[in-house]
Amino acid sequence: MSEIMNTQQITGIVGAGTMGSGIALTAAASGESVIVFDSVDTALQRSDVMIKSTLKQWVEKSKITSEQSDEIFKKVHFTSDLNDLSSCTLVIEAITEQIQIKSDLFKKLEDVVAAETILATNTSSLSITLLASGLKCPGRFLGLHFFNPAHIMPLVEVVSAIQTQTGIAESARRRVETWKKICVNAKDTPGFIVNKVARPYYSEALRIFEENLANIPTIDFVMTTVGGFKMGPFQLMDFIGHDVNFTVTETVWKSFFYDSRYRPSLAQQKLVEAGFLGKKSGRGFYDSQISASTYESQINHTKDLHIMIFNRIFAMLVNEAADTVYRTICSREDLELAVTKGVNYPNGLFEWGEVFGYGKIIDILDTLQERYREERYRVCPLLRDLAKV
Ligand SMILES: NC(=O)c1ccc[n+]([C@@H]2O[C@H](COP(=O)([O-])OP(=O)(O)OC[C@H]3O[C@@H](n4cnc5c(N)ncnc54)[C@H](O)[C@@H]3O)[C@@H](O)[C@H]2O)c1
């Protein structure tokens, strides 16, 4: 560890799993020294292998030279001793998504690092404010939410807790921007920006399916061809894994005090109960044994059905975007960046909503609310204001 002690900026990563390894590689590729700590030795070994093999791929694709690859790899140091993080000026935690395990770790970390070290969590769903409340110095704590794979996805949500001191988020943001990341500022609210705004993409699609208004291949076909999304909602849920996707929805729903707009789906819950977790288990909404052409033959090519599917999902997405800005969770500009860089939507939702017509979106939602008499379809006041402009 001694050879890196003189370096000015050292980043500590706690948790050498999927996210920790990707973040470590990102920082090292930008020239920072990184110390990766994990309590499990095999996790450190796996991280070492993952970073080396990614660097090898970069060399093979001529993204970097083999000398650069060696330089980057030299910047990454693995340790099973938490005390080795003492010289870090920023520590990002990426361990198991459990509040008690994370809180215990931050208590130990506070005794190891300097008073001015910024402490960050990469949590996807836990309250930053609650995690901060367990610290002796909660003012230096914030969320830095990277997306998977962290060395490829450009977006980072910079999430301030109510205790986060002025300047800490800005300082962390500047640091992460030197890693060529695109940062957006978010208030500490369930799902932050992306995991909140993206909920209707899954939940409205599930709702259309559960009501038997359209089948799964048709909904996916419409959202990819008419909508231009890279993956249809069911393909995407299968890809993410239903255990993960269902848990995020359930957490957001509970955290917003059971707001019906985020209510999870029974169809998805059944998949989780059955262990049909999607791509990782060979079966989710789709069965990997069944050929794509079989599913293609099930697509219903009725224009009115296509319009209904797209309009419902799209209107709910734009309404969720408006709600997020209306509640001052983030700025409109950051929301557009978050959806295009964090979940690869083809357009920003405000830009798209404006072209489609805010008045038309309001009509779609009002018609749905009239039909279902559910709060789920209530129109955000900001959307009504935008329609008047
Ligand atoms: N995987 C994703 O898509 C994704 C995306 C964004 C954020 N996140 C968040 O990032 C965090 C990590 O997720 P992941 O997918 O990388 O998990 P992972 O299971 O791949 O890795 C977690 C690592 O943490 C280590 N660990 C657990 N407890 C520890 C402790 N007390 N001290 C030190 N090391 C410990 C484990 O050994 C493991 O190597 C979670 O909070 C998750 O919500 C995940």
Side-chain angles (χ1 to χ4, degrees):
M1 223 50 66
S2 56
E3 78 272 26
I4 58 167
M5 288 307 176
N6 297 328
T7 316
Q8 283 274 305
Q9 298 283 34
I10 305 174
T11 298
I13 305 289
V14 182
T18 310
M19 294 306 290
S21 304
I23 300 167
L25 175 55
T26 305
S30 298
E32 274 199 30
S33 291
V34 183
I35 306 173
V36 182
F37 163 77
D38 200 291
S39 51
V40 178
D41 282 342
T42 49
L44 291 169
Q45 286 153 18
R46 273 198 305 272
S47 179
D48 182 298
V49 170
M50 176 271 174
I51 292 175
K52 266 191 201 136
S53 68
T54 308
L55 286 170
K56 191 164 165 256
Q57 284 167 21
W58 288 356
V59 173
E60 282 162 6
K61 290 180 183 164
S62 303
K63 287 185 176 170
I64 54 170
T65 63
S66 56
E67 290 74 26
Q68 285 169 322
S69 164
D70 293 344
E71 277 307 304
I72 294 169
F73 193 71
K74 265 194 243 156
K75 298 262 175 205
V76 188
H77 306 262
F78 297 96
T79 181
S80 51
D81 182 356
L82 192 67
N83 292 310
D84 283 340
L85 301 186
S86 61
S87 54
C88 295
T89 47
L90 168 68
V91 177
I92 303 173
E93 163 277 313
I95 65 169
T96 315
E97 187 76 342
Q98 284 186 36
I99 190 112
Q100 198 52 55
I101 299 179
K102 287 193 196 278
S103 289
D104 291 347
L105 170 89
F106 281 114
K107 281 200 183 89
K108 286 187 208 148
L109 252 183
E110 270 200 309
D111 292 335
V112 168
V113 297
E116 55 285 356
T117 299
I118 297 176
L119 298 179
T121 174
N122 183 47
T123 181
S124 299
S125 63
L126 302 172
S127 161
I128 311 295
T129 303
L130 188 58
L131 276 168
S133 70
L135 296 189
K136 280 184 229 152
C137 304
R140 57 151 123 184
F141 188 77
L142 83 164
L144 286 176
H145 186 223
F146 291 75
F147 290 76
N148 188 15
H151 56 285
I152 296 175
M153 296 298 284
L155 191 77
V156 179
E157 293 176 332
V158 179
V159 189
S160 296
I162 57 171
Q163 305 97 317
T164 308
Q165 268 167 13
T166 320
I168 292 292
E170 196 42 48
S171 173
R173 180 183 175 129
R174 277 199 303 273
R175 176 86 164 257
V176 171
E177 279 172 347
T178 67
W179 305 350
K180 303 184 187 69
K181 291 293 180 195
I182 296 168
C183 292
V184 289
N185 292 327
K187 260 191 199 163
D188 180 23
T189 36
F192 312 133
I193 307 173
V194 169
N195 278 335
K196 173 182 184 293
V197 176
R199 297 293 18 105
Y201 193 63
Y202 316 111
S203 64
E204 201 54 25
L206 283 161
R207 177 98 190 217
I208 293 167
F209 162 67
E210 283 180 321
E211 289 184 28
N212 201 24
L213 300 176
N215 65 27
I216 287 168
T218 306
I219 300 169
D220 278 347
F221 172 81
V222 169
M223 295 318 286
T224 50
T225 54
V226 180
F229 290 86
K230 286 218 167 83
M231 286 172 110
F234 295 93
Q235 293 163 334
L236 189 53
M237 283 183 275
D238 271 7
F239 179 77
I240 294 168
H242 293 285
D243 47 346
V244 174
N245 190 263
F246 181 79
T247 304
V248 175
T249 302
E250 197 180 28
T251 307
V252 170
W253 172 59
K254 285 182 180 166
S255 308
F256 275 114
F257 307 112
Y258 304 97
D259 186 332
S260 62
R261 216 165 46 211
Y262 310 109
R263 188 182 297 139
S265 133
L266 285 173
Q268 193 179 30
Q269 186 187 42
K270 292 295 155 207
L271 286 187
V272 177
E273 287 171 357
F276 298 162
L277 303 180
K279 205 167 167 254
K280 60 181 147 189
S281 68
R283 180 170 171 184
F285 283 113
Y286 292 97
D287 188 335
S288 48
Q289 303 296 314
I290 297 173
S291 73
S293 59
T294 305
Y295 290 119
E296 274 161 28
S297 68
Q298 294 167 8
I299 295 170
N300 186 334
H301 292 282
T302 317
K303 200 172 168 216
D304 285 351
L305 183 65
H306 288 191
I307 292 170
M308 180 279 289
I309 294 167
F310 176 76
N311 282 2
R312 262 179 90 148
I313 298 173
F314 177 68
M316 288 294 273
L317 280 172
V318 177
N319 199 37
E320 199 57 50
D323 178 77
T324 306
V325 171
Y326 187 66
R327 288 173 190 242
T328 68
I329 292 168
C330 69
S331 69
R332 180 174 162 160
E333 293 70 32
D334 277 1
L335 190 131
E336 300 291 72
L337 273 177
V339 296
T340 49
K341 305 295 177 190
V343 270
N344 287 326
Y345 284 1
N347 303 294
L349 288 168
F350 282 97
E351 185 198 353
W352 204 353
E354 204 169 312
V355 172
F356 185 89
Y358 290 125
K360 216 169 131 191
I361 294 170
I362 291 168
D363 286 346
I364 294 164
L365 294 169
D366 281 344
T367 306
L368 288 167
Q369 196 174 26
E370 178 67 19
R371 175 170 166 79
Y372 293 105
R373 309 284 166 114
E374 279 182 57
E375 273 292 288
R376 174 185 178 81
Y377 297 107
R378 68 189 185 274
V379 174
C380 172
L382 175 61
L383 215 50
R384 294 202 193 273
D385 293 344
L386 287 168
K388 284 185 209 142
V389 179

